[in-house]
Coordinates of all heavy atoms in Angstrom, one line a residue:
I112 N -3.0 19.2 0.3 CA -2.9 19.1 -1.1 C -1.7 19.9 -1.7 O -0.9 19.4 -2.5 CB -4.2 19.6 -1.8 CG1 -5.4 18.8 -1.4 CG2 -4.0 19.5 -3.3 CD1 -6.7 19.3 -1.9
E113 N -1.5 21.1 -1.2 CA -0.6 22.0 -1.9 C 0.9 21.9 -1.4 O 1.8 22.3 -2.0 CB -1.0 23.5 -1.7 CG -2.4 23.7 -2.3 CD -2.7 25.2 -2.6 OE1 -1.7 25.9 -2.9 OE2 -3.8 25.6 -2.6
V114 N 1.1 21.3 -0.2 CA 2.4 21.1 0.3 C 2.8 19.6 -0.1 O 2.7 18.7 0.7 CB 2.5 21.3 1.8 CG1 4.0 21.2 2.3 CG2 2.0 22.7 2.2
S115 N 3.3 19.5 -1.3 CA 3.5 18.1 -1.8 C 4.6 17.4 -1.1 O 4.6 16.2 -1.1 CB 3.9 18.2 -3.3 OG 5.0 19.1 -3.5
G116 N 5.5 18.1 -0.5 CA 6.6 17.4 0.2 C 6.2 16.6 1.4 O 6.9 15.7 1.9
T117 N 4.9 16.8 1.9 CA 4.5 16.0 3.0 C 3.7 14.8 2.7 O 3.4 14.0 3.6 CB 3.6 16.9 3.9 OG1 2.4 17.2 3.2 CG2 4.2 18.2 4.3
Y118 N 3.4 14.6 1.4 CA 2.6 13.4 1.0 C 3.2 12.1 1.5 O 2.5 11.3 2.2 CB 2.5 13.3 -0.5 CG 1.7 14.4 -1.2 CD1 1.8 14.6 -2.6 CD2 1.0 15.4 -0.5 CE1 1.1 15.6 -3.2 CE2 0.3 16.4 -1.1 CZ 0.4 16.5 -2.5 OH -0.3 17.5 -3.1
I119 N 4.4 11.8 1.2 CA 5.0 10.6 1.6 C 5.5 10.6 3.0 O 5.5 9.5 3.7 CB 6.2 10.3 0.7 CG1 5.8 10.4 -0.8 CG2 6.8 8.9 0.9 CD1 4.6 9.5 -1.2
L120 N 5.8 11.8 3.6 CA 6.2 11.8 5.0 C 5.0 11.5 5.9 O 5.2 10.6 6.8 CB 6.7 13.3 5.3 CG 8.0 13.7 4.7 CD1 8.3 15.2 5.0 CD2 9.1 12.8 5.2
Y121 N 3.9 12.1 5.6 CA 2.7 11.7 6.4 C 2.2 10.3 6.1 O 1.6 9.7 7.0 CB 1.5 12.7 6.2 CG 1.6 14.0 7.0 CD1 1.4 15.2 6.5 CD2 1.7 13.9 8.4 CE1 1.4 16.4 7.2 CE2 1.7 15.0 9.2 CZ 1.5 16.3 8.6 OH 1.5 17.4 9.4
G122 N 2.4 9.9 4.8 CA 1.8 8.7 4.4 C 2.7 7.5 4.6 O 2.9 7.0 5.7
S123 N 3.3 7.0 3.5 CA 4.0 5.7 3.5 C 5.1 5.7 4.5 O 5.3 4.7 5.2 CB 4.6 5.4 2.1 OG 3.5 5.3 1.2
I124 N 5.9 6.7 4.6 CA 7.1 6.7 5.5 C 6.6 6.6 7.0 O 7.1 5.8 7.8 CB 8.0 7.9 5.3 CG1 8.6 7.9 3.9 CG2 9.1 8.0 6.4 CD1 9.4 9.1 3.6
S125 N 5.6 7.5 7.3 CA 5.1 7.4 8.7 C 4.4 6.1 9.0 O 4.5 5.6 10.1 CB 4.1 8.6 8.9 OG 4.7 9.8 8.9
R126 N 3.7 5.5 8.0 CA 3.0 4.3 8.3 C 4.0 3.2 8.6 O 3.8 2.3 9.4 CB 2.2 3.9 7.1 CG 1.1 4.9 6.7 CD -0.1 4.8 7.6 NE 0.2 5.3 9.0 CZ 0.2 6.6 9.3 NH1 0.1 7.6 8.4 NH2 0.5 7.0 10.6
L127 N 5.1 3.1 7.8 CA 6.1 2.1 8.0 C 6.8 2.3 9.4 O 7.0 1.3 10.1 CB 7.2 2.1 6.9 CG 8.3 1.0 7.0 CD1 7.6 -0.4 7.0 CD2 9.2 1.2 5.8
M128 N 7.2 3.5 9.7 CA 7.9 3.7 11.0 C 6.9 3.4 12.2 O 7.3 2.8 13.2 CB 8.3 5.2 11.1 CG 9.5 5.5 10.2 SD 11.0 4.5 10.6 CE 10.9 3.3 9.3
L129 N 5.7 3.8 12.0 CA 4.7 3.5 13.1 C 4.4 2.0 13.2 O 4.3 1.5 14.3 CB 3.4 4.3 12.8 CG 2.4 4.3 14.0 CD1 3.0 4.9 15.2 CD2 1.2 5.1 13.6
A130 N 4.4 1.3 12.1 CA 4.3 -0.2 12.1 C 5.4 -0.8 12.9 O 5.2 -1.7 13.7 CB 4.1 -0.7 10.7
L131 N 6.6 -0.4 12.6 CA 7.8 -0.9 13.4 C 7.7 -0.6 14.8 O 8.0 -1.5 15.7 CB 9.1 -0.3 12.8 CG 9.5 -0.9 11.4 CD1 10.7 -0.1 10.9 CD2 9.8 -2.3 11.4
F132 N 7.3 0.6 15.2 CA 7.2 1.0 16.6 C 6.1 0.1 17.3 O 6.4 -0.4 18.4 CB 6.8 2.5 16.6 CG 6.2 2.9 18.0 CD1 7.1 3.1 19.1 CD2 4.9 3.2 18.1 CE1 6.6 3.4 20.3 CE2 4.4 3.6 19.3 CZ 5.2 3.7 20.4
L133 N 5.0 0.0 16.6 CA 3.9 -0.8 17.3 C 4.3 -2.3 17.4 O 3.9 -2.9 18.4 CB 2.6 -0.6 16.4 CG 1.9 0.7 16.5 CD1 0.9 0.9 15.4 CD2 1.3 0.9 17.8
A134 N 5.0 -2.8 16.4 CA 5.4 -4.2 16.5 C 6.4 -4.4 17.6 O 6.3 -5.4 18.3 CB 6.0 -4.6 15.1
A135 N 7.3 -3.4 17.8 CA 8.2 -3.5 18.9 C 7.5 -3.4 20.2 O 7.8 -4.2 21.2 CB 9.3 -2.5 18.8
V136 N 6.6 -2.5 20.4 CA 5.8 -2.4 21.6 C 5.0 -3.6 21.9 O 5.0 -4.1 23.0 CB 4.9 -1.1 21.5 CG1 4.0 -1.1 22.7 CG2 5.7 0.2 21.5
G137 N 4.4 -4.1 20.8 CA 3.6 -5.4 21.0 C 4.5 -6.5 21.4 O 4.0 -7.3 22.3
F138 N 5.7 -6.6 20.9 CA 6.6 -7.7 21.3 C 6.9 -7.6 22.7 O 6.9 -8.6 23.5 CB 7.8 -7.7 20.4 CG 8.8 -8.8 20.7 CD1 8.7 -10.0 20.2 CD2 9.9 -8.5 21.6 CE1 9.6 -11.0 20.5 CE2 10.8 -9.5 21.9 CZ 10.7 -10.8 21.3
V139 N 7.3 -6.4 23.2 CA 7.7 -6.2 24.6 C 6.5 -6.5 25.5 O 6.6 -7.3 26.5 CB 8.2 -4.8 24.8 CG1 8.3 -4.5 26.3 CG2 9.5 -4.6 24.1
L140 N 5.3 -6.0 25.2 CA 4.2 -6.2 26.0 C 3.7 -7.7 26.1 O 3.3 -8.1 27.1 CB 3.0 -5.3 25.5 CG 3.2 -3.8 25.6 CD1 2.0 -3.1 25.0 CD2 3.4 -3.4 27.1
T141 N 3.9 -8.4 25.0 CA 3.5 -9.8 25.0 C 4.5 -10.7 25.7 O 4.1 -11.5 26.5 CB 3.4 -10.3 23.5 OG1 2.5 -9.5 22.8 CG2 3.0 -11.8 23.5
R142 N 5.8 -10.4 25.5 CA 6.9 -11.3 26.1 C 7.1 -10.9 27.6 O 7.3 -11.8 28.4 CB 8.1 -11.2 25.3 CG 8.0 -11.7 23.9 CD 7.6 -13.2 23.9 NE 7.5 -13.7 22.5 CZ 8.5 -14.3 21.9 NH1 9.7 -14.4 22.5 NH2 8.4 -14.7 20.6
A143 N 7.3 -9.6 27.8 CA 7.6 -9.1 29.2 C 6.5 -9.1 30.1 O 6.6 -9.0 31.3 CB 8.4 -7.8 29.1
K144 N 5.2 -9.0 29.5 CA 4.0 -9.0 30.3 C 4.0 -7.8 31.3 O 3.7 -8.0 32.5 CB 3.8 -10.3 31.1 CG 3.7 -11.5 30.2 CD 3.6 -12.8 30.9 CE 3.5 -14.0 30.0 NZ 3.4 -15.3 30.7
L145 N 4.3 -6.6 30.7 CA 4.3 -5.4 31.6 C 2.9 -5.0 31.9 O 2.7 -4.3 32.9 CB 5.0 -4.3 30.8 CG 6.5 -4.5 30.4 CD1 6.9 -3.3 29.6 CD2 7.3 -4.6 31.7
L146 N 1.9 -5.3 31.0 CA 0.6 -4.8 31.1 C -0.4 -5.9 30.8 O 0.0 -7.0 30.5 CB 0.4 -3.6 30.2 CG 1.2 -2.3 30.4 CD1 1.1 -1.4 29.3 CD2 0.8 -1.7 31.7
P147 N -1.7 -5.6 31.0 CA -2.7 -6.6 30.7 C -2.6 -7.3 29.3 O -2.0 -6.6 28.4 CB -4.0 -5.9 30.8 CG -3.8 -4.8 31.8 CD -2.3 -4.4 31.5
R148 N -3.1 -8.5 29.1 CA -2.8 -9.2 27.9 C -3.3 -8.6 26.6 O -2.7 -8.8 25.5 CB -3.5 -10.6 28.0 CG -2.9 -11.5 29.1 CD -3.6 -12.8 29.2 NE -3.0 -13.7 30.2 CZ -3.4 -14.9 30.5 NH1 -4.5 -15.4 29.9 NH2 -2.8 -15.6 31.4
W149 N -4.3 -7.8 26.6 CA -4.9 -7.2 25.4 C -3.9 -6.2 24.8 O -4.0 -5.9 23.6 CB -6.2 -6.4 25.7 CG -6.1 -5.3 26.6 CD1 -6.3 -5.2 28.0 CD2 -5.8 -3.9 26.2 NE1 -6.1 -4.0 28.5 CE2 -5.8 -3.1 27.4 CE3 -5.5 -3.3 25.0 CZ2 -5.5 -1.8 27.4 CZ3 -5.2 -1.9 25.0 CH2 -5.2 -1.2 26.2
T150 N -3.0 -5.6 25.5 CA -2.2 -4.6 25.0 C -1.2 -5.0 23.9 O -1.0 -4.3 22.9 CB -1.3 -3.9 26.2 OG1 -0.6 -4.9 26.8 CG2 -2.3 -3.2 27.2

Side-chain angles (χ1 to χ4, degrees):
I112 298 175
E113 300 201 30
V114 186
S115 57
T117 66
Y118 294 168
I119 308 304
L120 291 174
Y121 272 135
S123 298
I124 296 175
S125 290
R126 299 286 68 78
L127 182 57
M128 289 299 102
L129 192 55
L131 288 174
F132 165 72
L133 290 165
V136 171
F138 180 83
V139 171
L140 294 177
T141 301
R142 297 300 182 90
K144 300 179 181 179
L145 297 176
L146 294 170
R148 292 180 180 177
W149 65 266
T150 56

